Amino acid sequence: MADACTALCQRWVKAKEGDLASFTEADVKQLNSPQLIEFVALLLQEEPLPLSHVKKMQEVYQLNSVKNSEVRFRWLRVCVRAHWEEAVPLALKMATEQGRMKFTRPLFKEVYNFSKYSDEAVKTFKEHRGAMHRGAMHPVTAMLVAKDLKIKKNVLCAGSVSVIQLSPQMQTCISG
């Protein structure tokens, strides 16, 4: 199972521009969801792919249309790491709608680390934080994303926000 994922990942990593035509929809047609998740996760462990590779991957595999959150989350991170500007709104949309820390925090981080879109990540977070605090995002997730985006606590806490009591261990985790 993992061998097919590793082999496909390495084909993409080692591919030159001239090799891109060798990739087809059949490469992923036989992969089940866990394998597709593993394939994209393996890509994240490598150096970012060139933008041409990521665009070709979208062209042949249509990963932007995958509904599986685990696949979509990893795929959007691959896209943003490759500095595909068209993926930034998709990543921010998932980050603001999903709400789960395992998806939200890494997506905001990826966009923030794409220097051209750092301000957009902060702006989007600030625009949506009210809705996030009303249930779409756990307050601890919002606090950690704010830390990742280097938003000062007094800016984050402005307005009407629920106050939560954190354990000493959580306070250490957040401040450390």
Side-chain angles (χ1 to χ4, degrees):
M1 178 171 141
D3 291 344
C5 305
T6 302
L8 184 57
C9 173
Q10 287 306 303
R11 275 186 60 208
W12 279 101
V13 169
K14 294 175 182 172
K16 306 288 185 233
E17 292 295 320
D19 301 327
L20 296 182
S22 70
F23 293 98
T24 67
E25 183 183 6
D27 299 336
V28 295
K29 202 67 163 171
Q30 300 304 315
L31 298 181
N32 58 31
S33 290
Q35 288 175 307
L36 193 53
I37 291 165
E38 179 65 13
F39 161 62
V40 185
L42 289 169
L43 290 172
L44 287 169
Q45 293 176 14
E46 301 288 341
E47 290 296 314
L49 291 172
L51 181 55
S52 59
H53 288 47
V54 175
K55 286 183 173 185
K56 182 64 173 183
M57 199 177 294
Q58 168 54 26
E59 179 187 318
V60 294
Y61 302 157
Q62 296 296 307
L63 293 171
N64 283 349
S65 63
V66 172
K67 301 293 185 218
N68 181 311
S69 294
E70 297 286 344
V71 174
R72 186 166 183 75
F73 156 70
R74 288 168 179 82
W75 167 242
L76 289 171
R77 290 182 63 205
V78 167
C79 293
V80 173
R81 282 187 182 179
H83 291 172
W84 192 5
E85 294 186 34
E86 295 166 25
V88 170
L90 299 174
L92 290 174
K93 183 176 192 275
M94 184 175 189
T96 56
E97 291 178 351
Q98 179 46 244
R100 291 189 63 199
M101 187 179 318
K102 74 180 272 184
F103 299 132
T104 300
R105 192 172 182 201
L107 286 168
F108 268 115
K109 275 185 182 178
E110 293 290 355
V111 175
Y112 185 80
N113 290 333
F114 184 173
S115 59
K116 184 175 181 178
Y117 289 95
S118 295
D119 291 342
E120 185 68 21
V122 171
K123 178 180 171 236
T124 300
F125 176 76
K126 286 180 177 180
E127 287 174 353
H128 289 86
R129 73 173 175 225
M132 291 177 195
H133 282 290
R134 286 192 295 275
M137 183 186 290
H138 190 277
V140 172
T141 301
M143 185 170 40
L144 291 173
V145 170
K147 181 181 177 187
D148 294 337
L149 303 182
K150 298 175 181 34
I151 298 173
K152 293 186 177 21
K153 288 182 184 177
N154 59 347
V155 174
L156 177 64
C157 295
S160 60
V161 175
S162 301
V163 176
I164 59 170
Q165 184 66 38
L166 298 177
S167 69
Q169 295 85 0
M170 183 59 84
Q171 290 173 5
T172 302
C173 174
I174 292 168
S175 62

